[in-house]
Amino acid sequence: MTARLLVVSDTHVPGRGRVVPAAVWDAVDAADVVVHAGDWVGVDLLDELEARAARLVGVYGNNDGPDLRARLPEVARVVIDGVRLAVVHETGQAAGRERRLDRLFPGTDVLVFGHSHIPWDTTTPAGMRLLNPGSPTDRRRRPTHTWMTAAIDDGVLRDVVLHHLEGPPGDSGR
């Protein structure tokens, strides 16, 4: 059976991110698993995602206070249809990232991370897939707001898509 994933990070709501785009909420509704790689900022978004998502896997980030840290781990590990997935907010500098993460996350098939707001999709020398969805609300110096969708089918991560929203985050993205 195929598991549909929404991969998001660095929402910063409320704060730099004022609202989650409608297109992301549509993806929440379509997903079997929502993965959030930290920097929520407000606990209200966690509550809303927990209520709306079929399944939520999340971690806290460096901008998340004690209320979020009390409810979320620093690192989350789950198995979805045979795929060993780990989630963490920060992975350090880009230089040497692949080899460093192979050492830190042995036995992981897919590692989702955030922090930089820069989309990232690579494979490490050991074969681990690294995904950073960027941010759907705080693009910083990036040209668009971003998030990812993917599917896990029969033990394989497939169909990873980086979505772009060019208008303000309050737009529907359509």
Side-chain angles (χ1 to χ4, degrees), residues 85-123:
L85 180 95
V87 186
V88 66
H89 184 64
E90 295 186 59
T91 60
Q93 64 183 352
R97 178 177 283 148
E98 285 84 359
R99 291 188 189 283
R100 182 175 60 253
L101 294 177
D102 274 341
R103 285 191 311 274
L104 294 172
F105 291 90
T108 299
D109 299 312
V110 178
L111 176 68
V112 174
F113 65 100
H115 187 62
S116 68
H117 298 219
I118 298 170
W120 188 279
D121 183 354
T122 58
T123 302

Side-chain angles (χ1 to χ4, degrees), residues 137-158:
T137 58
D138 183 18
R139 63 184 176 87
R140 292 192 181 161
R141 295 173 299 280
R142 310 303 307 166
T144 60
H145 299 89
T146 58
W147 64 94
M148 290 177 167
T149 55
I152 294 177
D153 187 28
D154 199 24
V156 177
L157 180 73
R158 304 180 190 279

Side-chain angles (χ1 to χ4, degrees), residues 31-146:
D32 299 302
V33 182
V34 175
V35 178
H36 193 299
D39 271 6
W40 308 71
V41 178
V43 75
D44 289 347
L45 181 58
L46 173 58
D47 291 340
E48 199 169 353
L49 271 174
E50 282 181 333
R52 194 158 169 176
R55 180 178 180 189
L56 177 64
V57 178
V59 297
Y60 66 78
N62 61 300
N63 284 298
D64 296 327
D67 52 347
L68 287 160
R69 290 171 186 247
R71 294 175 54 188
L72 295 164
E74 181 178 13
V75 176
R77 296 175 191 270
V78 296
V79 177
I80 301 170
D81 193 20
V83 173
R84 297 164 299 182
L85 180 95
V87 186
V88 66
H89 184 64
E90 295 186 59
T91 60
Q93 64 183 352
R97 178 177 283 148
E98 285 84 359
R99 291 188 189 283
R100 182 175 60 253
L101 294 177
D102 274 341
R103 285 191 311 274
L104 294 172
F105 291 90
T108 299
D109 299 312
V110 178
L111 176 68
V112 174
F113 65 100
H115 187 62
S116 68
H117 298 219
I118 298 170
W120 188 279
D121 183 354
T122 58
T123 302
T124 69
M128 178 173 40
R129 186 83 172 260
L130 303 179
L131 300 176
N132 182 330
S135 173
T137 58
D138 183 18
R139 63 184 176 87
R140 292 192 181 161
R141 295 173 299 280
R142 310 303 307 166
T144 60
H145 299 89
T146 58

